Amino acid sequence: MEEVKVIDLENGTFVITDEILINGIKYVYLTNENDVMDFCIRKVKIENNEEYLVKLESDQEFDTAIQAFLNKHQDELKNFN
Amino acid sequence: MDTLDKFNQEDQEVLALVNKNYARARRESIEREQEERLRQTKIKYQTRPKNKQRDFVKKAIIGIVATATVLGVGSKMIDITKDNVARNEFVNIVADHVNDNVVYTNTLSSDGNGYTWYYDDVRKIAQETLNENKDIDIDTRIYGTYLGLNDYQRDEYMDKIMHELQDIVTENPLDYTEEEVRACNHTNFTDYLASLGMEKDDYIRFMRDVTLAYGQNDIEKVQELLTKLNGGGR
C-alpha cells in the first residue's frame, strides 16, 4: 500500500497525481481512484488566501498543461517497472 | 500510407480506447461555456490522505503519459505500452510472494510520511523464491524478489534474503538444481551481483530485458539472455 492525497470532485474521488507550475499558475493532475486511465486537469485559483480548484479555460490551456506533464514524465513510460 | 493504416486491428482497438480517454479528459478539464464558468462551484483545494495499492501514482502518471502521447508517436508507443503490460504481468508472478510477507504497522514513520512496515519472515521469502515458480530460472526468480521489495532498504533486505538462500541450499543441496545452488551460494546481494560480473545498474537493465522476453513469451530470447547472464563471471 502507499499513502496518496485525494480530493472529492463532482464526479468522484480523485488522486493528486502531480502538480506543475506553469507561468506562475499551479496545475493539478488528478486521476480517478478507481481507474488510472481516467484523469482530468484543474488549476489552482487563490482567493482570500485560500486555494480553490477550477477548470481550465480553453483547449490551448489544456494542451499546454498536457505538454508540461509530458516534458516532465516522458521517460517514465520507458522505465516503468 | 495513412497513419491509421499502419495500426493492426489490435492497435486500433487500443487507439480507440486511448482516444476516448483523451477526449473525456479534455472535456472534463475545460469550462466550455461562459455561463458554466460563472456558476462554477469552486472546490477548495484541500486534500486528505488515503491508502491505495502500491505504485498507484506511478501507474497514474503512466496512464496520462500513454494517453497523451499515443496519438503523436503512433504504434511505437503502443508497442512500448503493450510490452510493459506484458512484462508487468510476468513480474507480478515472480514478485508476488514478497507482498505476502510485508507487515504494515500502525506507527507513523518519523517524518510523518506514511506508516512503517517490515518484512515478517525473510527466510520464508527466500524459501518461496527457491520453491515457487520452478519453471522460471532461478536468477529471474531472485530478480522478482528484488522487484517485490519496497525501494526503501531494498538492498539491506536483499542481503538478508541472499544469506537465507545460501543457508537453504547448503543445508539441503540435493533438493536443488546445480543452477539454483550456484546462484544462491552467496553471502549477500553484492556477492551475488559480483558472480554475474555486473554492477547493480547494469543488472537492473539486463534483467528488465529478461523479464520483458518472459512477458512476451519469447523463450528463444530468454535463453539467449540467460546464456549471456551465466557467462558473465559465475
Side-chain angles (χ1 to χ4, degrees), chain B residues 126 129-145 165 169 176-184 192 203 207 214 226 229-230 234:
Chain B
T129 303
L130 264 168
N131 297 327
E132 292 184 0
N133 300 308
K134 285 285 204 180
D135 54 328
I136 297 164
D137 73 281
I138 182 61
D139 290 296
T140 304
R141 279 182 273 152
I142 291 172
Y143 178 63
T145 298
L165 285 170
V169 295
Y176 299 100
T177 66
E178 196 180 316
E179 288 77 17
E180 286 171 332
V181 173
R182 202 165 49 221
C184 295
Y192 169 74
Y203 166 76
M207 292 309 295
Y214 266 115
L226 291 179
L229 184 70
N230 292 316
R234 187 183 290 161

Side-chain angles (χ1 to χ4, degrees), chain B residues 24-52:
Chain B
R24 179 178 56 187
R26 186 180 282 274
R27 191 176 60 244
E28 290 177 0
S29 298
I30 302 169
E31 287 294 4
R32 291 290 169 191
E33 304 293 337
Q34 177 70 18
E35 189 187 343
E36 188 183 357
R37 205 171 297 160
L38 290 173
R39 63 178 161 74
Q40 176 175 213
T41 310
K42 287 182 298 189
I43 295 173
K44 201 167 181 180
Y45 189 26
Q46 199 165 43
T47 61
R48 58 188 162 83
K50 187 167 185 178
N51 281 324
K52 298 294 294 177

Side-chain angles (χ1 to χ4, degrees), chain A residues 1-2, chain B residues 54 99 102-107 115-118 150:
Chain A
M1 301 289 280
E2 70 173 343
Chain B
R54 193 171 161 223
N99 294 329
V102 67
V103 175
Y104 290 92
T105 72
N106 287 320
T107 313
Y115 292 92
T116 56
W117 49 269
Y118 61 95
N150 266 318

Side-chain angles (χ1 to χ4, degrees), chain B residues 65-95:
Chain B
V65 171
T67 303
T69 58
V70 76
L71 295 174
V73 289
S75 58
K76 185 168 182 287
M77 191 60 80
I78 286 180
D79 286 344
I80 292 172
T81 308
K82 281 160 57 182
D83 285 350
N84 280 324
V85 168
R87 176 179 175 272
N88 287 331
E89 283 174 355
F90 173 77
V91 165
N92 285 339
I93 293 169
V94 284

Side-chain angles (χ1 to χ4, degrees), chain B:
Chain B
M1 181 186 280
D2 186 89
T3 307
L4 279 178
D5 291 336
K6 294 177 185 169
F7 292 101
N8 61 32
Q9 179 62 33
E10 195 178 1
D11 287 339
Q12 289 201 37
E13 285 170 13
V14 175
L15 184 66
L17 181 65
V18 166
N19 215 346
K20 191 176 158 194
N21 285 333
Y22 195 66
R24 179 178 56 187
R26 186 180 282 274
R27 191 176 60 244
E28 290 177 0
S29 298
I30 302 169
E31 287 294 4
R32 291 290 169 191
E33 304 293 337
Q34 177 70 18
E35 189 187 343
E36 188 183 357
R37 205 171 297 160
L38 290 173
R39 63 178 161 74
Q40 176 175 213
T41 310
K42 287 182 298 189
I43 295 173
K44 201 167 181 180
Y45 189 26
Q46 199 165 43
T47 61
R48 58 188 162 83
K50 187 167 185 178
N51 281 324
K52 298 294 294 177
Q53 70 268 34
R54 193 171 161 223
D55 287 341
F56 182 93
V57 169
K58 204 171 177 180
K59 286 173 188 164
I61 289 171
I62 300 299
I64 297 174
V65 171
T67 303
T69 58
V70 76
L71 295 174
V73 289
S75 58
K76 185 168 182 287
M77 191 60 80
I78 286 180
D79 286 344
I80 292 172
T81 308
K82 281 160 57 182
D83 285 350
N84 280 324
V85 168
R87 176 179 175 272
N88 287 331
E89 283 174 355
F90 173 77
V91 165
N92 285 339
I93 293 169
V94 284
D96 223 26
H97 67 105
V98 180
N99 294 329
D100 296 340
N101 287 289
V102 67
V103 175
Y104 290 92
T105 72
N106 287 320
T107 313
L108 269 174
S109 58
S110 56
D111 59 2
N113 192 13
Y115 292 92
T116 56
W117 49 269
Y118 61 95
Y119 290 104
D120 186 32
D121 191 342
V122 174
R123 187 172 178 93
K124 187 159 170 269
I125 295 176
Q127 282 170 332
E128 289 173 353
T129 303
L130 264 168
N131 297 327
E132 292 184 0
N133 300 308
K134 285 285 204 180
D135 54 328
I136 297 164
D137 73 281
I138 182 61
D139 290 296
T140 304
R141 279 182 273 152
I142 291 172
Y143 178 63
T145 298
Y146 175 82
L147 285 185
L149 293 169
N150 266 318
D151 293 346
Y152 181 65
Q153 293 189 330
R154 178 181 262 164
D155 286 1
E156 287 84 347
Y157 273 106
M158 273 311 287
D159 282 344
K160 291 177 187 172
I161 291 166
M162 285 309 307
H163 190 76
E164 293 292 343
L165 285 170
Q166 186 181 43
D167 280 355
I168 295 167
V169 295
T170 49
E171 282 163 15
N172 298 296
L174 296 178
D175 289 350
Y176 299 100
T177 66
E178 196 180 316
E179 288 77 17
E180 286 171 332
V181 173
R182 202 165 49 221
C184 295
N185 201 8
H186 304 286
T187 51
N188 55 45
F189 190 50
T190 306
D191 284 353
Y192 169 74
L193 292 178
S195 79
L196 299 172
M198 286 183 183
E199 298 291 329
K200 195 168 74 177
D201 287 348
D202 295 332
Y203 166 76
I204 290 168
R205 270 193 291 273
F206 190 89
M207 292 309 295
R208 182 177 288 151
D209 289 343
V210 174
T211 49
L212 176 60
Y214 266 115
Q216 293 169 325
N217 207 22
D218 186 346
I219 301 307
E220 203 173 306
K221 181 75 176 173
V222 169
Q223 291 306 332
E224 182 193 322
L225 290 168
L226 291 179
T227 303
K228 280 186 199 169
L229 184 70
N230 292 316
R234 187 183 290 161

Side-chain angles (χ1 to χ4, degrees), chain A residues 2 7 22 52 54-55:
Chain A
E2 70 173 343
I7 189 165
I22 307 168
Y52 293 92
V54 297
K55 287 189 176 181

